[in-house]
Amino acid sequence: MAHVQFVDELVREYLLFRGFASTLKAFDNDLKADKDKGFRVDKIIEQIMHFINVSDLNGLKEYWSHLDSLIFTKLEIHVQPAFPYIQKPEENPSFSLYFTRAWQDSVLVSLHNLLATVFQCMPQPTLTSYESDAILVKKLQDKLAAVSGKTLQQQPMDKTSPTTHQSRLSQYAERLSGTAPLVDDFCAVPSEQLDSTREARGLRSLLRMGNTPVMGRKAARSQSQN
């Protein structure tokens, strides 16, 4: 539960931001006297070993009672050990095992695993679950982005690509600018047919000119002379 320490820092920052000086001071004092050690298993084991190494039996009993009320009573574990008084128990075959280094290390490892498991299964306040919620939201956003990318890749491409459309525009611009050769629509018509057509048009033009005022004056002059 390493995130608990980070939440503690957030609370301190919030109290400082709000100007709750007395509350912040009380909060810091409570953190210093915190028997739960921020739910850090290594710190709890270290505190237990400290009481054992300095032979502080009262401190060990008090600290164990705190752990019992916090953890062990909720697990429905009720153990009332009773040992008879034996001189030199380390030499007694029934208890000599408990004085070996291997057994002590095994007990510490078992206690460490027990506390770690219990702390992970404890009900968490809403404030401490924000990190897991943020991670979950980030995963959902990544999945959504991946699905959106696959959907875009699966969409059919447009038949008219931008390159083809651009080339058509370029060809049309060249035609307008005159760079491309112009095609004569009458190039397929035979030249003889064009000559006969031109002669017929010229004859009709001459006939029409007979009705002009100039031709009329010439005709009137010839009649007066006769």
Side-chain angles (χ1 to χ4, degrees):
M1 301 179 66
H3 59 282
V4 174
Q5 289 77 34
F6 183 69
V7 174
D8 292 341
E9 292 298 325
L10 292 179
V11 173
R12 293 186 75 261
E13 183 180 358
Y14 175 76
L15 295 177
L16 184 62
F17 172 76
R18 294 297 306 274
F20 298 153
S22 58
T23 306
L24 178 60
K25 184 177 180 180
F27 181 70
D28 289 336
N29 293 332
D30 289 339
L31 287 178
K32 292 178 181 179
D34 182 22
K35 293 182 179 181
D36 300 330
K37 306 298 180 182
F39 298 100
R40 295 182 58 180
V41 179
D42 55 340
K43 294 296 183 180
I44 294 176
I45 299 297
E46 182 180 344
Q47 184 65 49
I48 293 175
M49 293 303 300
H50 171 73
F51 290 134
I52 295 175
N53 293 331
V54 299
S55 300
D56 188 357
L57 182 59
N58 293 329
L60 179 61
K61 290 174 61 178
E62 181 182 356
Y63 194 69
W64 192 263
S65 298
H66 171 74
L67 295 178
D68 184 60
S69 61
L70 177 67
I71 302 173
F72 303 132
T73 55
K74 298 178 182 180
L75 299 177
E76 297 181 359
I77 299 177
H78 301 284
V79 179
Q80 298 293 335
F83 299 101
Y85 176 75
I86 300 176
Q87 292 183 353
K88 297 182 179 180
E90 65 276 7
E91 298 179 0
N92 190 294
S94 301
F95 301 100
S96 60
L97 174 65
Y98 305 117
F99 292 89
T100 60
R101 184 66 181 178
W103 184 86
Q104 295 175 8
D105 294 340
S106 177
V107 169
L108 293 178
V109 172
S110 299
L111 181 59
H112 185 283
N113 295 336
L114 174 63
L115 294 176
T117 303
V118 171
F119 290 158
Q120 290 294 333
C121 298
M122 287 178 59
Q124 301 292 323
T126 305
L127 186 60
T128 58
S129 62
Y130 86 97
E131 186 176 6
S132 59
D133 293 341
I135 294 175
L136 178 60
V137 171
K138 182 63 170 58
K139 290 182 179 179
L140 293 177
Q141 290 176 348
D142 294 340
K143 289 183 179 179
L144 180 60
V147 172
S148 300
K150 291 181 180 179
T151 303
L152 293 176
Q153 292 178 359
Q154 293 176 357
Q155 289 181 353
M157 298 180 63
D158 190 4
K159 294 182 179 180
T160 304
S161 62
T163 305
T164 305
H165 182 67
Q166 186 67 25
S167 61
R168 291 180 179 178
L169 290 178
S170 301
Q171 294 176 2
Y172 183 71
E174 290 178 358
R175 290 183 180 181
L176 292 179
S177 61
T179 56
L182 296 177
V183 179
D184 188 3
D185 293 336
F186 299 97
C187 62
V189 181
S191 58
E192 297 178 356
Q193 184 177 355
L194 289 176
D195 294 339
S196 59
T197 303
R198 291 173 182 173
E199 292 178 358
R201 289 179 179 177
L203 182 60
R204 286 197 296 269
S205 299
L206 292 176
L207 293 176
R208 290 176 182 175
M209 291 178 62
N211 296 327
T212 60
V214 177
M215 294 298 295
R217 287 196 297 270
K218 290 183 179 181
R221 185 180 300 175
S222 60
Q223 291 178 0
S224 61
Q225 291 178 357
N226 294 330

